[in-house]
Amino acid sequence: MTRHDRQADSGGIGIGALHCLLPEDRVKVADLPELGLLGHQEREFALGSGIETVSVYEDRATAGLAAEAVRGLGLPSGSAPDLLLLVSPRSPDVLLGSDVGRVQAESGLAGAFSFTVDGLGCTGSSAAWALARDLLIADPRRESAVIAHASRPTGADRVRYPVTVIGDGAYAMTMVRGGRPVLKAHRMESDGSFHDLFLVDYKSAPWYEWREECRSADRYRFDLAMHSRQRLSRLVDEVLEDAGVGKPDVAATLMQNVTAGAFDFYETLLGLPVHQVCRRHLAAYGHLGAMDVVLNLQQLLDEDGLRRGDHVLVLNNSPVAAWAASLWEI
């Protein structure tokens, strides 16, 4: 799926092209091989998450998927972007080497300066498009930036208790001068006190034995949820104030796809309905990490239900305690 947006006549920074890569194969959550090894609580969580199937790529490296997504943008030859931002995967393909370097080499972006946006989990995509916008504004000689990401599970297991169930996919997008939709306002925050809430002891076992550990499910469900309630509620108010619009002016609200219960939680908290495209993608593909909000935004734009000047609010947060709110103008 690829989208090339019309160029605007304004000087804002927005989306130039967007391409999402999804596998043809999907597996029912009830058929995941690890399900029979889970305890009752973990099994019931997975089956009750609102995820029916997860998208699966067999034996694909995350950097290779991200590079394929970049090539899928179909960028014109001779118009290399100035920047390449790789939103980090859950685990790198190599240690010491450079995954973003591989993406740059395999996608043919020889002229771009490449680096990785790391340590923010799902919120990395929101941070990346805000950073790309700011870097373009900071240097008038820069014209465009490519952002890429691929979602794969950390080890063999896809059930990430008590968070979600992981699917596979990749995306790439460009931020350009005069692109649409325009990134009108953005706010983000993080809290380092949750840095070790989730971990994988990767040094003591081969990758197929890696297991993600949540040090305290209660801390995730209650402490982090309370922080998310307070932070996102305030960030939304601040972003809307920055743009000079109110909640009634928001045509659609999108967020990352984690569980069906999370949608209900934030709808009640914010008084804004989460667009149905998020629930559809959650059920069909599972949680795609930092790709979720990009896939949701692409589908929303492709459905053609929005008009020029409409505002779309995109929320994003992650278990490493990072939160972001972005307002796009169509």
Side-chain angles (χ1 to χ4, degrees):
M1 294 186 288
T2 305
R3 176 185 177 85
H4 287 269
D5 287 287
R6 297 183 302 274
Q7 296 297 298
D9 54 4
S10 67
I13 308 296
I15 296 175
L18 198 163
H19 178 67
C20 289
L21 189 66
L22 290 165
E24 295 182 1
D25 294 335
R26 284 186 273 171
V27 176
K28 292 181 179 179
V29 171
D31 293 337
L32 288 173
E34 70 264 32
L35 211 66
L37 304 176
L38 298 177
H40 175 75
Q41 192 172 19
E42 291 85 354
R43 178 183 174 87
E44 290 303 306
F45 164 78
L47 294 175
S49 62
I51 301 170
E52 298 173 8
T53 57
V54 291
S55 51
V56 175
Y57 278 116
E58 296 291 350
D59 302 322
R60 292 294 302 272
T62 53
L65 282 174
E68 185 177 342
V70 174
R71 293 194 299 271
L73 288 171
L75 299 178
S77 59
S79 60
D82 301 284
L83 304 164
L84 169 62
L85 290 71
L86 178 67
V87 179
S88 64
R90 295 177 181 86
S91 58
D93 290 338
V94 295
L95 296 177
L96 191 62
S98 174
D99 284 359
V100 70
R102 176 179 173 182
V103 174
Q104 181 179 21
E106 292 189 2
S107 57
L109 303 184
F113 177 75
S114 63
F115 62 96
T116 299
V117 179
D118 197 4
L120 297 173
C122 311
T123 314
S125 287
S126 299
W129 63 46
L131 180 58
R133 179 197 64 175
D134 291 349
L135 289 171
L136 293 178
I137 291 173
D139 188 345
R141 294 171 299 178
R142 299 185 182 119
E143 293 295 332
S144 65
V146 171
I147 302 169
H149 171 74
S151 169
R152 292 273 288 150
T154 302
D157 294 347
R158 294 184 178 275
V159 177
R160 189 183 179 196
Y161 177 81
V163 184
T164 189
V165 185
I166 301 297
D168 298 345
Y171 82 85
M173 61 185 289
T174 60
M175 295 289 289
V176 301
R177 301 183 186 279
R180 306 294 296 201
V182 177
L183 184 56
K184 295 292 290 185
H186 176 85
R187 295 265 185 153
M188 57 187 174
E189 294 182 359
S190 62
D191 185 339
S193 65
F194 291 91
H195 70 94
D196 59 351
L197 182 56
F198 293 87
L199 59 87
V200 175
D201 185 10
Y202 75 94
K203 289 187 176 182
S204 62
W207 74 267
Y208 50 83
E209 294 182 2
W210 288 357
R211 297 293 182 272
E212 181 174 315
E213 175 187 350
C214 177
R215 296 200 168 193
S216 172
D218 286 343
R219 192 171 184 224
Y220 170 77
R221 290 195 187 102
F222 301 112
D223 293 356
L224 184 56
M226 182 59 67
H227 276 268
S228 295
R229 177 195 299 267
Q230 296 169 348
R231 303 265 190 146
L232 276 178
S233 181
R234 176 169 47 78
L235 288 174
V236 167
D237 290 341
E238 291 173 350
V239 160
L240 295 179
E241 183 178 357
D242 290 343
V245 302
K247 287 185 179 180
D249 301 311
V250 176
T253 300
L254 305 174
M255 60 179 293
Q256 82 274 20
N257 312 328
V258 180
T259 64
F263 295 140
D264 298 334
F265 175 83
Y266 286 108
E267 283 183 338
T268 301
L269 169 66
L270 301 172
L272 290 167
V274 175
H275 198 278
Q276 286 298 316
V277 70
C278 301
R279 295 181 186 270
R280 296 202 306 266
H281 287 159
L282 174 72
Y285 303 116
H287 175 53
L288 301 175
M291 179 178 174
D292 278 344
V293 290
V294 179
L295 178 63
N296 293 342
L297 181 59
Q298 182 197 49
Q299 187 62 47
L300 181 70
L301 296 173
D302 287 346
E303 289 182 352
D304 290 329
L306 300 173
R307 298 173 299 176
R308 183 67 169 258
D310 281 347
H311 292 95
V312 176
L313 180 65
V314 179
L315 311 178
N316 215 347
N317 66 351
S318 68
V320 297
W323 302 269
S326 305
L327 191 71
W328 296 87
E329 183 182 297
I330 302 302

